[in-house]
Amino acid sequence: MILAFNKPMNVLSQFTDEGKWPGLKHHIDVPNVYAAGRLDRDSEGLLILTDNGKAQARITDPRSRTPKTYFALVEGTPEEAALEALRGGVTLKDGVTRPAEVAQVAAPDWIWPRDPPVRVRKTVPDAWLRLTITEGRNRQVRRMCANVGLPVLRLIRWSVGDWTLDGLAPGQWRQL
């Protein structure tokens, strides 16, 4: 069994609660499924869950190069040099990232209001990027964007492989 879940902001990618942060058990009442990969507490979007260990390994193994597409609201105006750096791979503390597919895009028309709202500064512009990576390092998209001078204000994973968030509201799940 494979489930797609639209993980809301401030929900952990595990079934147990931790301190003030709720786990998946508040949204998913399906026994014996586990997250195939993670999304940080402060990230939103598609989380794949499965009861199949081989499927979980295939989805999360960096050697499988499963593409993951994110929409990131970044602080600042992306310059072409920053986008090219992301496309070529950037050097982080844990090594050089694989090249990413990156484009500046309009705000997605499917976006939902975030709770809590994104901090917006009237004197600092922001922009949306669509990024596709084939790794899954800890906080990778945030660290890559920060590395090129574009701190992430909001991060939503849209897809994992061929699976997307299409039609899933925050906190909802469906069987794939």
Side-chain angles (χ1 to χ4, degrees):
M1 172 184 339
I2 297 179
L3 307 179
F5 174 59
N6 187 347
K7 188 188 91 57
M9 168 88 170
N10 290 330
V11 171
L12 302 176
S13 294
Q14 61 193 36
F15 280 89
T16 54
D17 298 343
E18 203 169 281
K20 66 179 181 176
W21 309 117
L24 298 173
K25 69 182 178 184
H26 298 278
H27 298 278
I28 301 170
D29 186 21
V30 177
N32 303 317
V33 294
Y34 302 93
R38 301 181 66 81
L39 274 178
D40 298 319
R41 175 195 53 79
D42 55 347
S43 296
E44 308 164 76
L46 184 63
L47 184 65
I48 301 296
L49 297 102
T50 182
D51 62 354
N52 181 313
K54 287 183 181 180
Q56 185 180 28
R58 180 177 37 82
I59 293 165
T60 59
D61 187 339
R63 293 173 296 190
S64 72
R65 296 182 180 253
T66 302
K68 298 162 194 79
T69 299
Y70 297 81
F71 285 84
L73 177 62
V74 297
E75 189 174 85
T77 302
E79 295 182 12
E80 192 57 33
L83 300 179
E84 282 302 317
L86 294 169
R87 291 180 189 123
V90 296
T91 302
L92 304 176
K93 288 182 180 178
D94 54 354
V96 179
T97 65
R98 289 183 189 147
E101 292 178 25
V102 167
Q104 185 172 348
V105 296
D109 60 2
W110 47 262
I111 202 86
W112 54 86
R114 192 182 85 174
D115 182 25
V118 174
R119 166 187 58 86
V120 176
R121 297 191 304 180
K122 292 181 180 179
T123 59
V124 179
D126 56 38
W128 283 95
L129 300 179
R130 184 184 66 238
L131 301 98
T132 300
I133 62 172
T134 58
E135 297 175 288
R137 300 182 195 189
N138 184 39
R139 299 181 73 79
Q140 181 175 344
V141 172
R142 290 179 188 278
R143 292 189 301 139
M144 289 173 68
C145 289
N147 182 279
V148 299
L150 298 168
V152 173
L153 301 172
R154 185 175 186 187
L155 186 62
I156 303 168
R157 182 159 56 197
W158 168 255
S159 68
V160 174
D162 293 332
W163 298 310
T164 72
L165 268 185
D166 196 25
L168 272 181
Q172 289 186 333
W173 63 270
R174 69 171 167 257
Q175 187 168 344
L176 298 172

